[in-house]
Amino acid sequence: MKIAIAGSGALGCGFGYHLQKSGEDVTLLDNWEQHIQVISENGLTITVNGVEDNQAMKICKPNEFNEEMDAIFVFTKSMGLKSMMKSIEHIIGKDTKIICLLNGLGHLQTLEAFVDKKNIIMGTTVWTAGIDAPGITHFDGQGPVELQNSVPEEKDGALQIVDILKKSGLYGVYSDNVNYTTWRKACVNGTMNALCALLDSNIEEVFATSTIDSMLSGIVTEFATLAKRQDDINLDVEETITYLKALAEKVGAHYPSMHQDLANKRPTEIDFLNGSVAEASKRLNLEAPYCQNITDLIHAKEDILGIKRATK
Ligand code: NAD
């Protein structure tokens, strides 16, 4: 299968590497000059669960690539998705599948402006990844990758993607309710990422504070209320909080990506997490003061750090 990875940063390189190793024809697409140069000259150096490897991979900028693809995995940050879709329109054919595993909410609406809904496959992943230097990345975990076709009656395409993910060791699973998983994952990011970034602390420290129960209850209630009203998804607040606490205990003294974004003076994905909940709640006359305040505070911190704000 001809596959492009549109956004070949941390997670994109990890997926591209695994798919190519299992025999797929993969091209990495990105705009980051130094990263492109290092991978073109030296191959991609990647450490998967502690084991380092180096693999030659095709990589170029989206506007330098002209082949129609069978499948495209989008792996920008949330705020880069729209501009990436604009720059890859010319490699999307009438049957090209677009797979979106980004964190955050509202991506289906962005994709629908560019692709027929039957070809959009939404999902979540619990693989984690990072960039150590241009052309040098790490990729950790065991998966899975949960996927569902946006038009459930047309699920053959998604099943084919699940198969290639299984074959490549990325552990694809077809889900009948990926929307639920997406909301639940958004609760993880909307609590852990946002609070650790604001409090400049790791997950263990944040979850040991005296106010953690009221913060979790406030945020998760706002996510759950909107999930029900907007998407008819039932997120049980108590069960979600129990899940978040168990997860926090498991991951311990880890700094989530939003904390790292601020530390490295990069824009955050807050507008697609708590910001998205605050905005949609307002439209539907629902109260979301926690999400609104968190979004304002993260934006204030971006301003203080001189980070150029990403627009939705
Ligand atoms: P990243 O910043 O490492 O990679 C994004 C890449 O996209 C960058 O290399 C950037 O240059 C490129 N890019 C962005 N816009 C572009 C454009 N218009 N044209 C060309 N290139 C463009 O991000 P990441 O950590 O791989 O995360 C990607 C998504 O996956 C995010 O939504 C993130 O929240 C989610 N996610 C990440 C992890 C993780 O552990 N890294 C885990 C689960 C989910």
Side-chain angles (χ1 to χ4, degrees), residues 7-12 30-32 62 75-78 80 83-84 87 101-103 125 127-129 131 185 269:
S8 297
L11 218 46
D30 209 285
N31 268 344
W32 183 14
F75 272 128
T76 59
K77 285 279 173 58
S78 298
S83 75
M84 175 57 91
S87 62
L101 307 173
L102 305 196
N103 281 334
T125 178
W127 288 98
T128 60
I131 299 214
K185 183 121 196 260
E269 293 184 295

Side-chain angles (χ1 to χ4, degrees), residues 215-286:
M215 293 190 291
L216 289 179
S217 163
I219 300 167
V220 173
T221 300
E222 292 176 9
F223 273 70
T225 306
L226 181 64
K228 181 66 191 165
R229 174 74 78 85
Q230 186 181 273
D231 289 346
D232 199 24
I233 296 289
N234 291 312
L235 268 182
D236 183 312
V237 174
E238 286 315 313
E239 190 277 333
T240 305
I241 291 175
T242 304
Y243 164 71
L244 291 170
K245 286 185 170 177
L247 187 62
E249 206 161 314
K250 204 164 124 192
V251 294
H254 169 72
Y255 289 91
S257 60
M258 197 178 290
H259 182 279
Q260 293 167 30
D261 288 336
L262 290 183
N264 292 306
K265 301 201 174 181
R266 290 187 302 243
T268 69
E269 293 184 295
I270 197 72
D271 283 340
F272 298 84
L273 295 161
N274 309 69
S276 172
V277 172
E279 191 185 295
S281 298
K282 205 181 209 172
R283 255 188 281 120
L284 296 168
N285 285 322
L286 299 169

